[in-house]
Amino acid sequence: MPTVCTTIKVSKDGQYILATGTYKPRVRCYDTYQLSLKFERCLDSEVVTFEILSDDYSKIVFLHNDRYIEFHSQSGFYYKTRIPKFGRDFSYHYPSCDLYFVGASSEVYRLNLEQGRYLNPLQTNAAENNVCDINSVHGLFATGTIEGRVECWDPRTRNRVGLLDCALNSVTADSEINSLPTISALKFNGALTMAVGTSTGQVLLYDLRSDKPLLVKDHQYGLPIKSVHFQESLDLILSADSRIIKMWNKNSGKIFTSLEPEHDLNDVCLYPNSGMLFTANETPKMGIYYIPVLGPAPRWCSFLDNLTEELEENPESTVYDDYKFVTKKDLENLGLTHLIGSPFLRAYMHGFFMDIRLYHKVKSMVNPFAYEEYRKDKIRQKIEETRAQRVQLKKLPKVNKELALKLIEEEEEKQKSTWKKKVKNLPSILTDDRFKVMFENPDFQVDEESEEFRLLNPLVSKISEKRKKKLRLLEEQELREKEEEEEPEGKPSDAESSDSSDDEKDWVEEVRRQRRLLRQEGKGTWQHQVQEDQQTVLQPQFYEIKAGEEFRSFKDSATKQKLMNKTLEDRLKLEAKNGTLNVSDTTVGSKQLTFTLKRSEQQKKQQEAEKLHRLERKKLRRSAGHLRSKPRRGRSRH
């Protein structure tokens, strides 16, 4: 199912298995002969329960949680009707073709399928009814109420013929009841036997001729009983709640076995005349269990019997518990080669088995130095015990050993401190995968000679000396342990514990000394650079002038480079001073910047030449006009 399977049933001919589930609400039919899905039909609402009226899947009735009753034929949906109250269970009476519906009402609704109409309901004394069942032998109808009673009706006379108070009878000396037990499951077996399940986890077995239960079985979980089934071959009753399926003998109540699935149970169906059962769970997959003791496997999965027979066949293998396996070389060392072929040695693989008592007896006679070997073994064990009490060697990484040792020491100090319980244990950098590369890749090696490292860590020199000394001690201890295997070692050196921490004065002096060293190193590098500059011979450098540019001097390029290195504020001040920038205030309070392009010398000369050319042309025009005006005046005078 997509999400949850609610109910599961098997057709009377055993060929089809039908199951309902959600979400979306649907019914699925499986064909056991083809071992495949026959069909799948989606429904309008979730199914409370359903019943297969025919021997196959051709006639099915569904009770929905929205009061609708839906009829399906072989081709699909056939008809839909509605009952007045919400239904919880229903049963089919074959002699009269009546459907009996019980639910959130005191009435039992009857729908006759032959006439196609509702009949007069049965009026019970209960406020609500939970479950119902019809005896297949004599047709007695029984319904379980929320008051913990079972009412029995005769469908022929439509009168109540019996009443059982199961709630009172379910209370025993060992049971703990916190609420009124209601009837949650009901099942007939034969003409006289009936099993009743309560909401508090008890199963009551009744003989219809008596109002007292023959047997009361408690599941001990306090959960409602979901279903009850009878197993005829072994006289067993299968009762299930949402957690467990219990199989017990109906005569003695003795537990036969139990099944506890991983997910909660909704329904259980026993395949007829076999040892297989199906479960509807709160999970997409339905559970299938096969118990060979209950019966044979169904015809469509007969291979299960062959599998179980193979599992039951346990070939007896010869076990040599009191024998010692020895090879031919071992026999030569013991001097027992003459026993090959005798009953004292049993050939096996590449050696022989011999009696362990004979082996120990010959071993003590041949090897007189066995006590010395035993003594050496005991000494070796004592050495290993003393090593376990000493400080264990730490395996440091190849990269940043000093940093790793520092982290290990800090971790040990935290463990020894008194506020360890108050602070949460944070993951160590050594065990964190995010910083694993820092101790594996040589590119992450800390450079202790750099200026930043020495200024930020003024006491790193002394601390590094301590750690280097400790590293040497650890390496010496490791070499010593490899060389000495039989003699116990002495106590580890505690020289590092005698070093006291530096005070504030030592720290200040260390900082000053580091600064002096850095200053001397910088002065030495500067003098070395000056000597190299004096020894180098300067070579002439050639520069290429781009097209359209005029070379003036190196000074202009130098001033231009200096100007580019200045900040924007300094450049604006300089441009305002030269007259290429004009800053003015506007009416709204903002600033207005006006830039004037700076002209080059060539542009200035060209502009002056054009200005002179225009002046000369004006002078020429004036002189030409003056010459033209003089003859005209003379003619007029004559």
Side-chain angles (χ1 to χ4, degrees):
M1 291 295 168
T3 307
V4 173
C5 181
T6 55
T7 54
I8 185 169
K9 293 182 185 297
V10 181
S11 62
K12 292 181 177 63
D13 58 3
Q15 182 178 355
Y16 302 101
I17 302 171
L18 286 90
T20 61
T22 188
Y23 176 83
K24 299 180 178 178
R26 66 192 65 203
V27 57
R28 286 181 175 178
C29 178
Y30 298 91
D31 190 349
T32 58
Y33 291 176
Q34 302 296 328
L35 295 179
S36 62
L37 180 66
K38 182 71 174 178
F39 63 83
E40 180 182 14
R41 300 172 186 171
C42 289
L43 307 172
D44 295 334
S45 58
E46 295 184 12
V47 177
V48 177
T49 184
F50 71 96
E51 189 73 32
I52 305 172
L53 304 183
S54 60
D55 292 340
D56 54 3
Y57 66 92
S58 58
K59 295 179 183 179
I60 313 173
V61 183
F62 296 97
L63 174 62
H64 294 271
N65 61 354
D66 55 354
R67 295 191 293 151
Y68 274 103
I69 303 166
E70 195 169 318
F71 296 87
H72 280 234
S73 64
Q74 191 171 4
S75 59
F77 170 77
Y78 181 76
Y79 184 73
K80 181 187 288 188
T81 185
R82 206 171 188 181
I83 56 177
K85 298 290 184 179
F86 290 97
R88 296 174 182 173
D89 196 8
F90 73 94
S91 296
Y92 182 62
H93 187 250
Y94 282 91
S96 62
C97 299
D98 290 343
L99 283 173
Y100 290 80
F101 295 94
V102 297
S105 173
S106 60
E107 296 179 341
V108 179
Y109 304 105
R110 295 189 301 151
L111 176 63
N112 187 271
L113 300 184
E114 184 182 6
Q115 303 177 19
R117 66 185 182 91
Y118 283 100
L119 304 178
N120 292 329
L122 305 178
Q123 184 66 42
T124 64
N125 294 334
E128 295 178 2
N129 297 283
N130 292 332
V131 292
C132 64
D133 193 21
I134 294 178
N135 194 304
S136 59
V137 178
H138 46 68
L140 185 67
F141 172 75
T143 175
T145 67
I146 62 171
E147 289 85 0
R149 297 188 180 95
V150 175
E151 295 187 9
C152 297
W153 292 72
D154 188 355
R156 297 170 298 179
T157 61
R158 298 187 297 278
N159 294 324
R160 190 176 64 189
V161 296
L163 180 65
L164 297 175
D165 192 353
C166 301
L168 182 61
N169 295 326
S170 65
V171 179
T172 59
D174 299 333
S175 60
E176 296 181 2
I177 305 299
N178 297 325
S179 60
L180 179 66
T182 62
I183 307 302
S184 59
L186 188 64
K187 189 70 175 180
F188 280 107
N189 180 40
L192 301 175
T193 308
M194 180 180 65
V196 179
T198 65
S199 60
T200 54
Q202 289 87 21
V203 179
L204 294 84
L205 188 63
Y206 279 94
D207 189 323
L208 295 181
R209 296 168 294 184
S210 173
D211 59 350
K212 301 296 181 182
L214 301 175
L215 187 67
V216 178
K217 187 67 178 178
D218 195 350
H219 272 218
Q220 304 294 335
Y221 282 104
L223 299 174
I225 303 298
K226 293 292 185 75
S227 65
V228 179
H229 295 275
F230 288 88
Q231 210 279 338
E232 299 294 340
S233 61
L234 298 178
D235 291 336
L236 297 178
I237 296 179
L238 281 73
S239 56
D241 55 21
S242 60
R243 183 177 296 182
I244 194 171
I245 303 172
K246 286 192 175 184
M247 305 178 191
W248 43 281
N249 190 280
K250 67 178 182 179
N251 298 320
S252 62
K254 184 179 179 181
I255 287 290
F256 178 74
T257 185
S258 60
L259 299 174
E260 191 168 359
E262 183 180 358
H263 304 279
D264 291 345
L265 295 169
N266 290 326
D267 192 15
V268 176
C269 176
L270 185 64
Y271 196 90
N273 301 322
S274 74
M276 180 173 288
L277 56 93
F278 306 99
T279 61
N281 310 319
E282 290 286 330
T283 183
K285 289 188 177 181
M286 291 164 274
I288 304 174
Y289 298 91
Y290 175 55
I291 305 174
V293 182
L294 298 181
R299 183 175 58 180
W300 48 272
C301 57
S302 58
F303 60 88
L304 291 177
D305 287 330
N306 299 331
L307 292 177
T308 53
E309 287 176 3
E310 291 177 2
L311 292 174
E312 289 177 358
E313 292 177 358
N314 296 323
E316 295 183 1
S317 58
T318 306
V319 180
Y320 298 96
D321 292 333
D322 298 331
Y323 287 82
K324 172 71 175 177
F325 181 80
V326 292
T327 61
K328 193 172 182 179
K329 187 177 180 180
D330 296 335
L331 292 176
E332 292 176 355
N333 295 333
L334 296 173
L336 299 177
T337 54
H338 61 282
L339 294 179
I340 297 176
S342 64
F344 296 101
L345 297 178
R346 297 183 184 182
Y348 183 77
M349 294 177 64
H350 62 286
F352 305 90
F353 276 111
M354 66 181 301
D355 193 282
I356 191 68
R357 294 171 295 177
L358 177 61
Y359 175 79
H360 287 312
K361 188 174 181 179
V362 175
K363 184 80 172 174
S364 61
M365 294 173 62
V366 172
N367 189 6
F369 302 102
Y371 177 74
E372 294 295 331
E373 294 179 1
Y374 171 77
R375 182 173 173 275
K376 288 181 180 180
D377 291 338
K378 285 295 182 181
I379 292 174
R380 192 176 295 108
Q381 291 177 5
K382 290 291 183 182
I383 292 173
E384 294 297 334
E385 291 176 0
T386 53
R387 283 179 180 173
Q389 296 174 0
R390 292 190 320 221
V391 177
Q392 299 293 328
L393 291 177
K394 307 175 183 65
K395 293 183 179 180
L396 299 176
K398 297 180 180 179
V399 183
N400 290 327
K401 290 186 178 181
E402 289 80 5
L403 178 60
L405 187 59
K406 175 186 175 184
L407 295 173
I408 292 173
E409 290 178 353
E410 291 178 354
E411 190 70 22
E412 291 177 355
E413 290 177 359
K414 285 182 181 179
Q415 293 178 358
K416 293 178 181 179
S417 59
T418 56
W419 46 267
K420 181 180 70 172
K421 297 182 180 179
K422 299 180 181 179
V423 183
K424 294 183 179 179
N425 292 329
L426 299 176
S428 177
I429 297 179
L430 292 171
T431 58
D432 199 337
D433 293 338
R434 296 175 294 176
F435 304 98
K436 181 173 64 175
V437 186
M438 189 170 66
F439 301 100
E440 295 178 355
N441 194 346
D443 296 336
F444 291 93
Q445 179 67 41
V446 178
D447 186 9
E448 298 182 0
E449 300 298 329
S450 61
E451 180 179 353
E452 294 82 1
F453 183 84
R454 293 169 65 182
L455 286 177
L456 293 175
N457 300 274
L459 297 178
V460 75
S461 58
K462 288 189 176 181
I463 297 173
S464 61
E465 288 177 1
K466 286 183 182 180
R467 292 204 179 94
K468 287 177 181 177
K469 186 175 180 181
K470 192 170 185 178
L471 283 173
R472 287 197 301 270
L473 291 172
L474 290 173
E475 291 175 357
E476 291 175 0
Q477 185 178 355
E478 186 177 359
L479 291 173
R480 220 180 297 123
E481 286 186 353
K482 289 181 180 179
E483 293 175 357
E484 302 175 3
E485 293 184 353
E486 297 184 357
E487 296 181 2
E489 297 183 1
K491 296 182 180 179
S493 175
D494 57 350
E496 64 274 5
S497 61
S498 62
D499 296 332
S500 59
S501 60
D502 299 326
D503 54 2
E504 187 177 358
K505 185 176 180 181
D506 296 338
W507 181 80
V508 174
E509 290 179 357
E510 185 67 24
V511 172
R512 290 175 181 174
R513 190 171 67 84
Q514 291 291 338
R515 289 189 179 277
R516 285 197 299 270
L517 290 174
L518 290 173
R519 207 177 295 115
Q520 291 176 3
E521 290 176 0
K523 187 176 180 181
T525 53
W526 177 77
Q527 291 178 356
H528 182 66
Q529 187 176 2
V530 169
Q531 291 178 2
E532 289 182 353
D533 293 341
Q534 291 177 357
Q535 292 176 2
T536 55
V537 180
L538 298 176
Q539 299 291 336
Q541 296 182 358
F542 298 94
Y543 298 91
E544 183 180 357
I545 300 175
K546 295 181 181 180
E549 292 186 359
E550 181 182 357
F551 177 74
R552 293 183 294 275
S553 65
F554 288 102
K555 185 176 181 182
D556 294 339
S557 61
T559 54
K560 187 176 181 181
Q561 186 66 27
K562 289 181 180 179
L563 185 63
M564 292 301 295
N565 293 333
K566 290 185 178 181
T567 61
L568 177 62
E569 184 181 3
D570 296 338
R571 289 203 302 270
L572 291 176
K573 289 181 181 179
L574 184 61
E575 290 177 358
K577 185 177 180 181
N578 295 334
T580 58
L581 174 66
N582 183 22
V583 182
S584 61
D585 298 331
T586 60
T587 57
V588 294
S590 59
K591 295 285 186 179
Q592 182 178 358
L593 301 179
T594 305
F595 291 91
T596 304
L597 296 177
K598 188 176 181 181
R599 297 174 181 176
S600 60
E601 296 294 335
Q602 185 177 1
Q603 291 176 351
K604 288 181 180 180
K605 290 180 180 180
Q606 187 177 359
Q607 189 177 4
E608 290 177 359
E610 290 177 357
K611 189 176 182 181
L612 291 174
H613 182 65
R614 285 195 295 270
L615 291 173
E616 289 178 356
R617 290 184 67 181
K618 287 181 181 180
K619 288 180 181 180
L620 289 173
R621 290 195 192 102
R622 289 176 183 174
S623 60
H626 182 67
L627 291 174
R628 289 174 184 173
S629 62
K630 284 184 179 180
R632 290 178 183 174
R633 290 177 182 174
R635 288 175 184 174
S636 62
R637 286 177 182 177
H638 288 297

